């Protein structure tokens, strides 16, 4: 684990503690020295076979960020769509949507590796003509076996010595459908004894009689990642091809292909440490299982670290980008504390989310001496620090909802909320004292009867007596009923990836709790996706899929720091 990615106390990030970005430093140096052969160009190259996750956000922020280091720098969005079996336009669209949502703009620079299939094919024929590629008609398994491994050099088969003419004819036969799947592949002729196993005559093309979401049935041979990637970079004029560390062992092959094609001033591959987050899985394969096996409600389930999921959860794009900047870019893989992401989310929402009142687990309060039918409007600030966000009025009446957690039967001294005979302030409205507790047959509290202090308008006692606690409330006759989806982390284990027998064993069975609560009536007019702070509860967002004015659905984005929980833990 690198020093950069080591866990820190997320509540105390210091500006001078910012980890660096070695790629940006390198590019800045090259720019300063005038060392670039052409204008600075990066690319973000997703494979359209799944939804983007927060790891991809790191790559997006890095690539688009690098492009801004130079006045004429650019970043391409390129779909690496070389495997028709797993790819679809659904994913192409969701990826574009997510990149745009993060706030990055590729302008006209939208490309597809499949646009280069003709050029890649022509280049493959060139390598065959040079004696640098050949068709192998053995099964992929036989080829793998003959390739050897770290301890055993590869063994050449007879096809390695076929003439370029024979190979050309066979390759064209492959292209024209003369072979079935698995009957032939094109391989680069490099070095079967190389210590770098990737260089032992790697596959360039394989046969797949599968239509492609963009090229239809035009092709039945498809380029392998290694053959497509560097060449696509070269076609576009990419200067820096940034990828994650698992591609270190593809690096020599990346360079070999470009050299074999005699590409002048070839692009350069640079590897960085990918993002891993505690309490989170990011691999597409695992995300797929969570979705397909029904552990979550789809790719945009608010518990997933997909960008679609985080968005639906209420995470602001700005917070995600700020997080990516804060964690830096290093040459090592590491695990970042999810608390750091949550910190950025709270920071942003604290500054930008208007305040509202809501009740997650309602408990009825009746103010015995408050006139029936009387309603007053209480004016409250939308933000305690930002007067520009204005005020709103909230109706107050005889019957109220308060939070069940704000009541305790036998409270200790440090408890400043409601208890038998105790006084509490209803935020901005009045002071009330609990005079009677109504219970059901099992002793469960059904309702509190309280005495309202008519002299305590605005919540301040006329006689100057101190009331320490302030709780939130809603008028029961006016409040809007609301489904509250209370999310916790999807995994209970800090490192679900290491769980036995697999990551599913680390699932948190309590990652979603649904309650029937209430919110201020004004939220009926709020747009889907609107984010608010429900005072004393946390940040919430109106669910973009399911919330309707007549049936509000709120997702809890993240809780506030709960002061009482800290005290209770010490008691
Ligand atoms: P996964 O490993 O999650 O299945 P992937 O690498 O197969 O993802 P791609 O669509 O190929 O997904 O990724 C597009 C780009 O995003 C690549 O350059 C890849 O290196 C980068 N990327 C993927 N995961 C991460 C991560 N966790 N941190 C940083 N960059 C990542
Ligand atoms: Mg990949």
């Amino acid at each position: 684990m690198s020093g950069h990615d080591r866990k820190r106390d997320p509540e105390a990030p210091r500006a001078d503690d910012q980890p660096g970005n070695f790629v940006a430093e390198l590019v800045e140096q090259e720019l300063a020295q005038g060392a670039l052969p052409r204008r600075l160009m990066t690319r973000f190259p997703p494979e359209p076979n799944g939804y983007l996750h927060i790891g991809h956000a790191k790559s997006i922020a890095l690539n688009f960020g690098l492009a801004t280091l130079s006045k004429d720098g650019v970043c391409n969005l390129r779909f690496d769509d070389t495997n028709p079996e797993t790819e679809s336009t659904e994913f192409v669209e969701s990826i574009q949507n997510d990149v745009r949502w993060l706030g990055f703009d590729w302008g006209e620079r939208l490309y597809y590796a499949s646009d280069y299939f003709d050029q890649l094919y022509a280049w493959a024929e060139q390598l065959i003509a040079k004696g640098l590629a050949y068709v192998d008609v053995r099964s992929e398994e036989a080829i793998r076996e003959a390739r050897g491994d770290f301890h055993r050099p590869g063994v050449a088969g007879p096809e390695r010595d076929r003439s370029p003419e024979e190979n050309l004819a066979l390759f064209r036969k492959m292209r024209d459908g003369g072979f079935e799947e698995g009957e032939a592949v094109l391989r680069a002729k490099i070095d079967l004894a190389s210590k770098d196993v990737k260089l032992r005559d790697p596959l360039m093309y394989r046969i797949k009689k599968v239509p492609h979401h963009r090229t239809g049935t035009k092709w039945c041979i498809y380029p392998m990642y290694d053959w497509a990637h560097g060449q696509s970079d070269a076609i576009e004029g990419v200067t820096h091809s940034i990828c994650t560390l698992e591609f270190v062992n593809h690096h020599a092959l990346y360079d070999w292909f470009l050299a074999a094609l005699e590409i002048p001033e070839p692009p350069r591959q640079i590897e960085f440490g990918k993002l891993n987050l505690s309490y989170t899985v990011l691999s597409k394969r695992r995300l797929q299982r969570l979705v397909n096996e029904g552990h979550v409600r789809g790719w945009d389930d608010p518990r997933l670290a997909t960008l679609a999921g985080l968005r639906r959860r209420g995470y602001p794009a700005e917070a995600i980008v700020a997080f990516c900047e804060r964690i830096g870019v290093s040459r090592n893989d590491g695990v970042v504390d999810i608390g750091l992401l949550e910190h950025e989310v709270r920071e942003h929402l604290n500054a930008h989310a208007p305040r509202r009142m809501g009740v997650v687990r309602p408990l009825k309060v009746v103010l015995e001496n408050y006139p029936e039918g009387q309603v007053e409007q209480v004016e409250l600030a939308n933000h305690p620090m930002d007067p520009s966000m204005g005020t709103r009025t909230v109706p107050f009446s005889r019957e109220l909802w308060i939070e069940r957690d704000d009541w305790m039967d036998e409270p200790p001294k440090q408890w400043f909320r409601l208890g038998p005979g105790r006084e509490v302030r209803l935020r901005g409205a009045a002071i009330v004292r609990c005079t009677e507790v109504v219970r059901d047959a099992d002793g469960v509290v059904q309702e509190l009867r309280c005495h309202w202090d008519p002299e305590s308008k605005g919540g301040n006692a006329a006689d100057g007596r101190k009331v320490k606690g302030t709780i939130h409330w809603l008028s029961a006759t006016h409040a809007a009923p609301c489904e509250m989806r209370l999310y916790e982390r999807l995994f209970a284990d800090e490192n679900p990836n290491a769980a036995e027998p697999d990551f599913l064993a680390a699932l948190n069975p309590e990652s979603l709790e649904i309650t029937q609560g209430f919110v201020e009536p004004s939220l009926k007019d709020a747009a889907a996706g609107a984010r608010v702070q429900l005072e004393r509860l946390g940040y919430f967002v109106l669910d973009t899929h399911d919330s309707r004015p007549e049936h509000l659905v709120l997702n809890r984005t993240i809780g506030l720091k709960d002061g009482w929980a800290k005290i209770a833990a010490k008691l």
Side-chain angles (χ1 to χ4, degrees), residues 20 76 92 102 135 140 165 192 199 341 396 483 493:
N76 305 340
V92 168
L102 280 180
V135 172
E140 276 188 43
E165 292 71 30
L192 282 173
L199 292 181
L341 174 61
F396 181 85
E483 176 179 329
D493 202 311

Side-chain angles (χ1 to χ4, degrees), residues 93-134:
E93 278 158 22
S94 81
I95 289 170
Q96 293 190 40
N97 191 30
D98 287 348
V99 176
R100 222 177 273 126
W101 175 67
L102 280 180
F104 297 102
D105 182 11
W106 56 89
E108 308 278 292
R109 313 194 61 82
L110 174 63
Y111 302 112
Y112 296 83
S114 56
D115 287 341
Y116 311 139
F117 282 173
D118 284 307
Q119 175 70 69
L120 291 170
Y121 179 84
W123 271 338
E125 287 206 350
Q126 265 184 38
L127 291 196
I128 292 172
K130 283 186 176 177
L132 292 177
Y134 63 99

Side-chain angles (χ1 to χ4, degrees), residues 300-544:
D300 63 350
D301 188 294
R303 290 165 291 181
L304 292 181
T306 54
L307 295 180
L310 296 174
R311 176 168 60 235
R312 196 169 167 192
R313 174 89 172 241
Y315 278 33
E318 296 89 336
I320 294 173
V321 173
F323 165 76
C324 291
E325 274 157 18
R326 174 156 264 163
I327 58 177
V329 177
S330 80
R331 284 192 171 84
N332 308 85
D333 278 336
V335 182
V336 176
D337 188 332
I338 194 167
L340 193 58
L341 174 61
E342 295 171 345
H343 169 79
E344 291 294 346
V345 170
R346 283 199 186 95
E347 284 267 297
H348 183 93
L349 292 175
N350 182 36
H352 295 100
R355 275 44 172 175
R356 292 289 181 270
M357 289 193 290
V359 171
V360 166
R361 293 181 189 82
L363 175 60
K364 179 69 77 67
V365 166
V366 178
L367 305 181
E368 290 176 313
N369 58 331
Y370 194 93
E372 305 234 18
Q374 180 173 316
V375 180
E376 23 188 313
Q377 299 296 333
V378 174
E379 188 175 10
L380 294 174
N382 287 331
H383 196 285
M385 274 95 68
D386 184 355
S388 77
M389 289 175 80
T391 63
R392 69 195 186 283
T393 56
V394 185
F396 181 85
S397 67
R398 178 180 160 88
E399 298 207 354
L400 306 169
W401 293 119
I402 65 161
E403 202 70 47
R404 197 162 270 275
D405 284 354
D406 283 336
W407 163 262
M408 210 183 255
D409 266 328
E410 292 169 30
K413 248 180 108 181
Q414 300 95 321
W415 179 260
F416 300 120
R417 309 180 211 170
L418 216 43
R422 297 228 185 161
E423 248 188 348
V424 80
R425 178 181 301 101
L426 299 176
R427 166 121 172 75
I431 294 170
V432 299
R433 177 185 300 279
C434 179
T435 51
E436 191 189 338
V437 184
V438 184
R439 296 168 197 274
D440 67 8
D442 299 325
V444 178
V445 178
Q446 293 298 295
E447 186 179 296
L448 303 175
R449 314 285 293 188
C450 290
H451 178 84
W452 165 64
D453 176 355
E455 306 289 293
S456 62
K457 287 272 158 64
N460 300 312
D463 60 6
R465 75 184 184 282
K466 290 232 160 32
V467 175
K468 227 171 169 182
T470 301
I471 64 174
H472 56 273
W473 52 271
L474 292 167
S475 161
T477 37
H478 301 89
C482 170
E483 176 179 329
M484 302 279 195
R485 299 182 180 165
L486 307 176
Y487 293 103
E488 294 287 345
R489 289 170 184 163
L490 183 56
F491 293 97
D493 202 311
E494 193 169 340
N495 182 5
N497 298 295
E500 295 289 347
D502 66 12
F503 73 103
L504 294 175
L507 277 171
N508 172 11
E510 277 149 30
S511 59
L512 170 59
E513 180 192 358
I514 298 178
T515 70
Q516 301 303 322
F518 294 95
V519 288
E520 288 180 26
S522 66
L523 274 172
K524 282 192 266 194
D525 304 323
R531 305 183 188 108
V532 294
Q533 184 196 93
L534 292 185
E535 291 190 28
R536 303 181 58 237
L537 294 177
Y539 298 98
F540 288 72
V541 62
L542 263 78
D543 189 72
T544 44

Side-chain angles (χ1 to χ4, degrees), residues 219-275:
W219 297 92
C220 67
I221 57 172
Y222 290 96
M224 305 294 291
Y225 170 88
D226 289 306
W227 173 241
H229 206 88
Q231 286 44 257
S232 301
D233 288 339
I235 290 167
E236 289 167 16
V238 166
T239 50
H240 299 78
S241 181
I242 319 288
C243 62
T244 41
L245 279 180
E246 68 267 29
F247 290 94
V248 164
N249 62 351
H250 298 242
H251 195 130
L253 181 55
Y254 182 97
D255 290 345
W256 188 91
F257 279 132
L258 293 167
L261 292 169
E262 297 171 53
I263 304 283
E265 314 277 15
R268 165 166 167 219
Q269 177 173 305
I270 299 169
E271 305 89 10
F272 71 99
K274 67 159 54 172
L275 171 65

Side-chain angles (χ1 to χ4, degrees), residues 44-47 53 55-56 59 244 272 274-275 282-284:
F44 174 63
E47 187 179 350
H53 53 63
H56 293 117
S59 175
T244 41
F272 71 99
K274 67 159 54 172
L275 171 65
L282 292 181
S283 106
K284 251 180 239 166

